[in-house]
Each structure stands twice: as C-alpha cells, then as structure tokens.
Amino acid sequence: MLQKVASSCSCASHAFRVLDAEDHPVEREVYDPPRPQPDGSTVVTWLEPGETLELSITVHSGDRPPVARVEEPETVLVFDSPEVGVVRVGYRFAIDPRLEVLPGAEIPLRPIGGASPGVEAIELFPAQGKPGFEVTRIDGTGDGFALTPIEATRPGGHRYRLDYGPFPADRRRFVHDLDFHTDLAGGYAVKVRVLVDVVAELQLIGGVRSLTFGRFDFTEPSYRDLELRYHGDLEKPLLGVHGLRLADKEGNDVSGRFSTEILAKGGKRWAVRVHYLGGLDASRFQGSFLLETAVPGFEELEINVTGFRVDR
C-alpha cells in the first residue's frame, strides 16, 4: 500500500499510473495518500501480480528563482510493505535563466503601517548572453499591489514601480506572487515573490513603552535612547516631549537632573534621548514623560523611565 509521497523540491509535482505486464495502462485510480471513508475504512492503491506503478515527475522551473545553478532534489515514496519500504527517486536539473530580476526574485518589502502605502522598483533584464524580450502579461496585480512601467536602468530592461498597500487591518503579513510572462520561446515566465509585514504606524523598538538606564554610575553624565520607527507618510511624525517627571525613592523631584531631545536617525527612524546631567545623590529614580506625535492613534504616549545607582 502506498502511504505517502513527498518531494524535497516545492517546484516538483508527480503523477502515477498503473501498467499491466505488457506496459499497457490500466484504468485504476491511484490514491495518494490512502483515502479514508465515512464508514471508517480506507481506500488504498493496489497492484495485481505483474503490474507496475509508474511515477512521473514534472519540474516547474518557473517556480524557481531565476539564478543559474544546479539542483538535485528527490521524491520519496513510502509503502507499508516491509519488502518495499521507502523508495527514493533522485533527479537533477539545471536552471539557466534567460533573464534576471532586481532586486531579486524574492523581495522583502519595507514594512508599512496598515493605513499607509509603500513603494518598490522591480526590473527585469536579459541575462548575460541571452536575447532581449518583451513582457506580454503580468499576473498578480490588484488586491493592494499595482505595477506602473518606468524608465529602465539596464540595457533591454523592463522596470516597474510597485505600489503596495494599504491593507486590511486584520492582516499582518502578505506573501504575494507576481508572474511576468514574456514573448520568449516556450511561454517563458518568471515569478517574483514579494513579502510585506503590516505593522503599527509607529513602532517602539523593543515593543515596550519604557526606557531604562539600568544600573550605572550616578557620578558621571549619561544618556539612554528610546528608538522609534515610523511607517506612514508624514514627513515629521514626532512632535516633542513634555511632562518629564522623575523622583528618587523618597519621592523628591529630581527632574532637573535630566533633559530630553529628539534625534532624527534617518530612514524614518528617530530616537528620544534622555540625558542624565549628573549630581544626583540617590540610589534610584523613576518616573515618566509624554511623547507627543502627529500619528493618528499615537498622539500621546506615556514612557516610563527608571535607573539605579551601581554602587548602592
């Protein structure tokens, strides 16, 4: 009885047929895997004496990234008969792409906030020594993904602006395929897979609304950063900090020993920096400040601050 069939290559598919002793096809369904029935029984694949189970493996090379290489996968057949056991069928094929893709056949797109769009550029061009081509059809646009032709940067290239998002609030990750069909022989096509995470419009790196100095030397000035990343369209999503209130363990206000500033880190990243100015005679401090932003839903965030003297 055939129990299971599995291939190590996701691009491979398989098909079976039964042949008699003279290699003529037998009209009999092959169950892969065995099929349970409502009455509790199981329908299995069976062979008469002299019959042969023929396996055909098809490699869908269009599902593989267009990068020159050789692959050697295998397909495994598992039988319940101890005389047969496990049969491994190995095969070898070469990928010789006729075109290349920039930035790649699998593109991790920039994470975006659910209500914001993102932009990427995709370019297809002839591989070295391969003929030019035209893109005849693109499948996979729509549902938050749109392609617009733009000026190519490579000889014979076809470049597109990819606009993605906004996406529904209940989705957090998208794995989406764009299929580029060409006029090359054999209906040559390339699959470009894009991956995008939908995140909060404003991310606090580390995922917590707190900033800690940990244990440090109170006799020396110091600082700590709370890093943020913005995924929306506003040019300056961070407005400022106010309401810094810090106290020692006796409840005395020590806010004057601290200052704050906001630093642009580039690439829609910022840091809220809290400076310890020195001169504090205490064993610890704690408190908070308010971070004001222009991002909807994040207009005012309370950030906790703590610190402990290393020598007490």
Side-chain angles (χ1 to χ4, degrees):
M1 180 177 72
L2 178 64
Q3 291 184 318
K4 179 182 178 182
V5 181
S7 294
S8 61
C9 179
S10 61
C11 67
S13 63
H14 56 267
F16 293 98
R17 66 173 181 167
V18 177
L19 305 176
D20 62 20
E22 298 179 352
D23 288 337
H24 296 137
V26 176
E27 292 296 327
R28 185 183 308 143
E29 185 174 357
V30 176
Y31 298 98
D32 166 28
R35 185 176 302 169
Q37 300 298 297
D39 62 1
S41 63
T42 303
V43 179
V44 300
T45 300
W46 53 275
L47 299 175
E48 297 287 358
E51 291 183 337
T52 301
L53 181 64
E54 180 186 80
L55 166 66
S56 298
I57 298 173
T58 302
V59 175
H60 304 275
S61 59
D63 292 339
R64 308 302 291 158
V67 178
R69 67 198 184 282
V70 173
E71 295 195 18
E72 297 181 338
E74 67 176 9
T75 295
V76 179
L77 291 78
V78 181
F79 295 86
D80 72 334
S81 168
E83 291 81 12
V84 180
V86 176
V87 176
R88 300 180 183 275
V89 180
Y91 45 99
R92 186 174 187 268
F93 62 89
I95 299 290
D96 183 23
R98 294 181 234 178
L99 57 85
E100 296 183 38
V101 180
L102 284 177
E106 185 168 284
I107 308 172
L109 299 174
R110 178 180 64 83
I112 61 172
S116 303
V119 178
E120 180 62 82
I122 299 174
E123 186 163 5
L124 293 77
F125 56 95
Q128 186 173 5
K130 302 297 182 181
F133 63 91
E134 296 295 330
V135 176
T136 58
R137 190 177 84 246
I138 303 174
D139 296 333
T141 57
D143 297 327
F145 296 90
L147 288 169
T148 305
I150 55 178
E151 184 177 357
T153 64
R154 299 295 183 96
H158 300 271
R159 193 165 185 243
Y160 301 87
R161 170 187 166 125
L162 171 63
D163 291 277
Y164 57 99
F167 297 112
D170 60 342
R171 293 289 300 275
R172 287 292 174 263
R173 183 167 176 83
F174 288 82
V175 178
H176 190 81
D177 291 333
L178 298 166
D179 295 301
F180 293 83
H181 299 264
T182 75
D183 61 353
L184 294 171
Y188 191 82
V190 166
K191 185 186 301 295
V192 176
R193 174 159 291 176
V194 293
L195 306 94
V196 57
D197 290 317
V198 182
V199 298
E201 294 281 301
L202 188 67
Q203 279 186 300
L204 279 66
I205 305 305
V208 294
R209 296 185 181 184
S210 63
L211 187 154
T212 179
F213 281 73
R215 293 189 178 275
F216 74 105
D217 184 358
F218 279 25
T219 64
E220 297 292 334
S222 183
Y223 69 85
R224 295 294 185 273
D225 287 347
L226 175 68
E227 295 195 14
L228 306 104
R229 184 173 291 123
Y230 176 58
H231 300 285
D233 291 332
L234 298 174
E235 183 177 352
K236 294 183 177 180
L238 303 181
L239 296 182
V241 172
H242 71 91
L244 179 65
R245 295 290 184 270
L246 297 173
D248 62 18
K249 68 175 183 178
E250 284 78 28
N252 300 312
D253 185 2
V254 296
S255 306
R257 302 293 183 180
F258 297 82
S259 67
T260 61
E261 64 176 323
I262 294 179
L263 305 174
K265 307 282 282 189
K268 291 196 172 184
R269 296 181 302 117
W270 282 263
V272 179
R273 178 165 293 179
V274 177
H275 293 270
Y276 167 64
L277 306 177
L280 181 59
D281 185 19
S283 59
R284 70 183 186 191
F285 59 85
Q286 62 182 21
S288 66
F289 62 85
L290 296 177
L291 172 66
E292 287 185 336
T293 86
V295 181
F298 298 87
E299 290 84 354
E300 192 172 78
L301 304 176
E302 183 176 17
I303 309 298
N304 294 317
V305 182
T306 59
F308 303 86
R309 193 178 187 112
V310 72
D311 57 349
R312 293 187 187 176

